[in-house]
Amino acid sequence: MAEQIFMMDRVEYYYAADNRVFKNLSLSIQKGDSICIMGANGSGKSTLLKILCALAFPTGGKFEAFGQEINEARMQNESLARDYHRRVGFIFQNSDAQLFTTRVWDEIAFGPLQLGLSQEEVTTRVEDLLKMLNINHLRDRSPYRLSGGEKKKVAVASVLALNPEVLILDEPSSGLDPKTQRWLLELISQLIRMGRTIITSTHNLVLAHAISTRALVLSEQHEMIYDGATRDVLENRELLMAVNLIDEYCHIHGEAEHIHQYNHG
């Protein structure tokens, strides 16, 4: 039986007393799962990811990760928080939210240095990632002077430098050109083959089909209305229309490789 990584039991989350996002949200995620969280904008995808990353905390119910309950009080422990964020890597939708140094090499090295690794180990990790992601030519560039696709690659490298067990991506294909989207898809597929647990939020149905075997679908009322095989939900036109992921003009061929606009999000 696969090891359980995350468990939510009747989780509630409120932004304010009168602004509820989730109520009675329950799910379990196992080691090695490749999951897409699907839903239109405003359905709660990003909030769910932030809870999984311990960047936000439930206001009710229980959230466990790696066999321990995770809440705001426990994450005040600096050692526990550091270990958690090493094990769970988060790639923001907007790469600018992650990049803050003046050189790409230093950006990738920052996380491992915070872990207290030796300079030799840090150098090895950075050089390996520059080569693996084919971004060696960017090593001395300023992250702020990169294209959107280049920024995404550096943001991914800075997270992978921590060697996380779980990689969480928020709308990773948003704003990327087709070539960079293909690069990202191939990288995620490679990480899945390596046994990493991958959780991606998206309203891109083609991406969901390509990188996940399991889909969690959130309605615009912030309710999880589907948890099952990605292949099956992509064939469920009625459900996709109900959650505003497609409209009546969308038609799907075969196994969803050719999903035509209009996709909402």
Side-chain angles (χ1 to χ4, degrees):
M1 186 174 180
E3 175 188 347
Q4 180 174 263
I5 300 290
F6 296 120
M7 187 279 293
M8 289 187 178
D9 182 21
R10 294 169 291 179
V11 159
E12 294 185 355
Y13 184 82
Y14 286 79
Y15 279 120
D18 60 347
N19 188 2
R20 188 188 76 205
V21 181
F22 294 123
K23 181 181 180 181
N24 292 329
L25 179 66
S26 298
L27 63 88
S28 177
I29 296 175
Q30 317 301 318
K31 183 176 182 179
D33 278 353
S34 53
I35 294 174
C36 267
I37 301 171
M38 301 165 60
N41 277 357
S43 61
K45 301 190 303 297
S46 293
T47 300
L48 177 53
L49 294 192
K50 287 177 182 177
I51 294 173
L52 294 174
C53 293
L55 298 176
F57 303 95
T59 48
K62 185 186 222 181
F63 170 49
E64 291 185 355
F66 309 105
Q68 300 182 72
E69 184 169 1
I70 302 298
N71 53 46
E72 191 167 9
R74 295 205 66 198
M75 291 299 283
Q76 296 298 317
N77 182 306
E78 186 176 337
S79 176
L80 189 153
R82 183 186 303 112
D83 183 63
Y84 192 91
H85 294 303
R86 177 193 64 78
R87 301 178 78 178
V88 181
F90 185 38
I91 297 173
F92 290 80
Q93 178 177 352
N94 179 5
S95 298
D96 286 326
Q98 285 182 253
L99 307 176
F100 56 89
T101 67
T102 57
R103 189 170 70 125
V104 166
W105 200 99
D106 297 325
E107 192 71 51
I108 302 171
F110 181 83
L113 285 171
Q114 301 312 300
L115 294 179
L117 301 181
S118 69
Q119 187 62 54
E120 181 181 7
E121 174 63 20
V122 171
T123 298
T124 297
R125 289 196 183 192
V126 174
E127 295 297 333
D128 285 349
L129 281 164
L130 288 170
K131 181 178 179 181
M132 173 186 172
L133 303 184
N134 196 26
I135 55 173
N136 191 54
H137 61 292
L138 302 177
R139 61 189 298 129
D140 294 319
R141 298 268 301 277
S142 166
Y144 303 106
R145 300 179 67 87
L146 303 179
S147 69
E150 290 170 337
K151 287 180 180 180
K152 180 67 73 175
K153 291 179 180 182
V154 175
V156 170
S158 68
V159 172
L160 291 183
L162 299 171
N163 195 27
E165 299 170 39
V166 181
L167 188 62
I168 297 180
L169 306 97
D170 189 6
E171 297 285 359
S173 63
S174 177
L176 297 183
D177 59 85
K179 185 175 180 180
T180 307
Q181 287 191 42
R182 172 59 59 180
W183 170 89
L184 183 64
L185 189 155
E186 291 174 352
L187 174 64
I188 293 172
S189 297
Q190 180 182 352
L191 293 171
I192 290 170
R193 290 193 296 272
M194 293 168 61
R196 301 289 177 95
T197 304
I198 306 292
I199 304 169
T200 307
S201 80
T202 188
H203 58 264
N204 183 325
L205 304 187
V206 176
L207 180 69
H209 169 71
I211 66 170
S212 69
T213 56
R214 177 182 170 196
L216 309 176
V217 180
L218 296 173
S219 70
E220 292 180 291
Q221 290 72 45
H222 315 130
E223 297 176 346
M224 188 177 297
I225 62 171
Y226 180 87
D227 179 355
T230 304
R231 178 189 299 267
D232 292 343
V233 76
L234 292 178
E235 294 176 352
N236 190 334
R237 181 185 178 86
E238 184 177 343
L239 186 148
L240 294 176
M241 290 181 65
V243 298
N244 202 24
L245 280 169
I246 65 171
D247 66 20
E248 61 184 321
Y249 297 104
C250 176
H251 56 285
I252 302 174
H253 300 296
E255 296 179 341
E257 294 95 332
H258 305 291
I259 301 176
H260 298 292
Q261 303 289 47
Y262 306 94
N263 287 348
H264 293 294

